[in-house]
Amino acid sequence: MSKINLTIQRKAILEVIQQSHDHPTAADIMERLREEGRSFAYGTIYNSLRYLTDAGMIRELKLGETASRYDARTDEHQHIVCKSCGRVEEVLTELPAEWVSRVAEETKFKVLHADVVLEGMCESCASQ
Amino acid sequence: MSKINLTIQRKAILEVIQQSHDHPTAADIMERLREEGRSFAYGTIYNSLRYLTDAGMIRELKLGETASRYDARTDEHQHIVCKSCGRVEEVLTELPAEWVSRVAEETKFKVLHADVVLEGMCESCASQ
DNA sequence: TACAGATTTATACTTAGTCTAAATCAAAAT
DNA sequence: ATTTTGATTTAGACTAAGTATAAATCTGTA
């Protein structure tokens, strides 16, 4: 029954993520807030990111880098990373359900969820 | 032309990984070596893991946990993690090439590689 | 207005890993 | 057999990302 409690800090952090299209890290978010003149305590950033993630308002992305990134798109989708410039983009083409069910058969797991990180070269890097 | 230089330390670390079937972390490997009475400097473990990874003798797995794991299987395959007990298993069912090429079309990336981490419940956890 | 619970803040701490400089080792050159 | 050279190991300092804690502050209800 817990209703959502969007404090000023949480709202500000959510807005930064919604306005960013590069999947910012916690450090990126802190920096952008500081630039806008509204900086919060270090721990508040992490607390809020967890709160927003748990509330389903953002998604935490673990793409194999050292820091987590955050994404305002919460619908089912995957990500692709450019090895050359580091750019992260959304992948909306859906993973075939048929493949997932074959994995379930192979492993005898009940599969809840699949996270795919593709690596490659983006168009602008490739053209150089 | 650099030939492979397997020092005593590197060989010991490689052996631990080859004999483990749970995808150990650096800390796990250190512990297992200590149990066998052959413990090396902290930094040597990390150095050697990087060396063996670069030499293609092991694979580093980033499964979204805090620490990397290491796998003696270097052939193309994916992983599935049990949310309940943490067990990590291999997934040999191949990702459809057709899906990957549709992603390449969608994103205009040249795709080099796809890493899938599935999450679910393993057979023994599910039966409880 | 006062209290209770939740949130923020500042700061200490933890974990996983990198960096550095000195010591050691191993193989080639003398 | 000894020296030199380059690679590796070691110990320990350092870094990055995130967690934990306790005091201060805020918010909303009695």
Side-chain angles (χ1 to χ4, degrees):
Chain A
M1 199 93 324
S2 55
K3 71 181 289 286
I4 288 164
N5 178 6
L6 271 196
T7 61
I8 292 169
Q9 291 84 347
R10 290 173 184 168
K11 190 137 79 177
I13 289 164
L14 177 59
E15 281 167 12
V16 168
I17 297 169
Q18 286 170 338
Q19 287 156 19
S20 300
H21 294 281
D22 59 346
H23 309 83
T25 63
D28 293 332
I29 295 165
M30 268 186 265
E31 196 191 322
R32 285 169 206 185
L33 286 166
R34 208 174 322 109
E35 278 166 11
E36 294 175 15
R38 38 185 193 168
S39 49
F40 308 122
Y42 192 76
T44 300
I45 306 286
Y46 283 101
N47 269 344
S48 301
L49 288 170
R50 179 151 35 186
Y51 179 91
L52 294 168
T53 304
D54 291 347
M57 307 182 77
I58 60 174
R59 261 183 65 183
E60 182 182 8
L61 308 181
K62 296 187 168 175
L63 305 181
E65 300 162 306
T66 55
S68 286
R69 291 170 173 267
Y70 294 89
D71 192 342
R73 276 197 86 138
T74 57
D75 59 333
E76 172 77 5
H77 67 280
Q78 309 301 342
H79 296 88
I80 188 163
V81 182
C82 176
K83 273 208 162 171
S84 161
C85 68
R87 172 207 308 265
V88 174
E89 291 194 8
E90 319 282 4
V91 170
L92 300 173
T93 305
E94 267 186 62
L95 197 60
E98 210 266 319
W99 181 74
V100 176
S101 64
R102 283 211 283 139
V103 169
E105 241 176 83
E106 177 199 342
T107 60
K108 314 276 183 249
F109 271 57
K110 185 200 288 195
V111 179
L112 297 170
H113 179 268
D115 268 321
V116 186
V117 180
L118 297 114
E119 285 187 313
M121 185 84 85
C122 75
E123 198 172 20
S124 78
C125 284
S127 72
Q128 276 163 32
Chain B
M1 198 90 324
S2 56
K3 71 180 288 288
I4 289 164
N5 178 6
L6 271 195
T7 61
I8 291 169
Q9 291 84 348
R10 290 173 184 167
K11 190 139 74 176
I13 289 165
L14 177 59
E15 280 168 11
V16 167
I17 298 169
Q18 285 171 338
Q19 287 157 19
S20 301
H21 293 281
D22 59 347
H23 308 83
T25 63
D28 293 332
I29 294 165
M30 267 185 267
E31 196 191 323
R32 287 171 205 183
L33 285 167
R34 210 175 320 109
E35 280 167 10
E36 294 176 14
R38 38 184 192 167
S39 49
F40 308 121
Y42 193 76
T44 301
I45 306 287
Y46 284 102
N47 268 345
S48 300
L49 289 170
R50 179 150 36 185
Y51 179 91
L52 294 168
T53 303
D54 291 348
M57 309 183 76
I58 59 174
R59 262 182 65 184
E60 181 181 10
L61 308 181
K62 296 188 169 174
L63 306 181
E65 300 161 306
T66 53
S68 286
R69 292 171 173 265
Y70 295 88
D71 192 341
R73 275 196 86 138
T74 57
D75 57 334
E76 171 77 5
H77 67 281
Q78 309 300 341
H79 295 89
I80 187 162
V81 182
C82 176
K83 273 208 164 170
S84 164
C85 68
R87 175 205 307 266
V88 175
E89 293 194 7
E90 320 283 4
V91 171
L92 299 173
T93 305
E94 267 186 62
L95 197 60
E98 209 267 318
W99 180 74
V100 176
S101 63
R102 283 211 282 137
V103 170
E105 242 177 82
E106 177 199 343
T107 60
K108 315 275 182 250
F109 271 58
K110 185 201 289 196
V111 178
L112 297 171
H113 179 269
D115 267 321
V116 185
V117 180
L118 296 115
E119 285 188 313
M121 185 84 87
C122 74
E123 198 173 21
S124 77
C125 284
S127 73
Q128 277 163 31

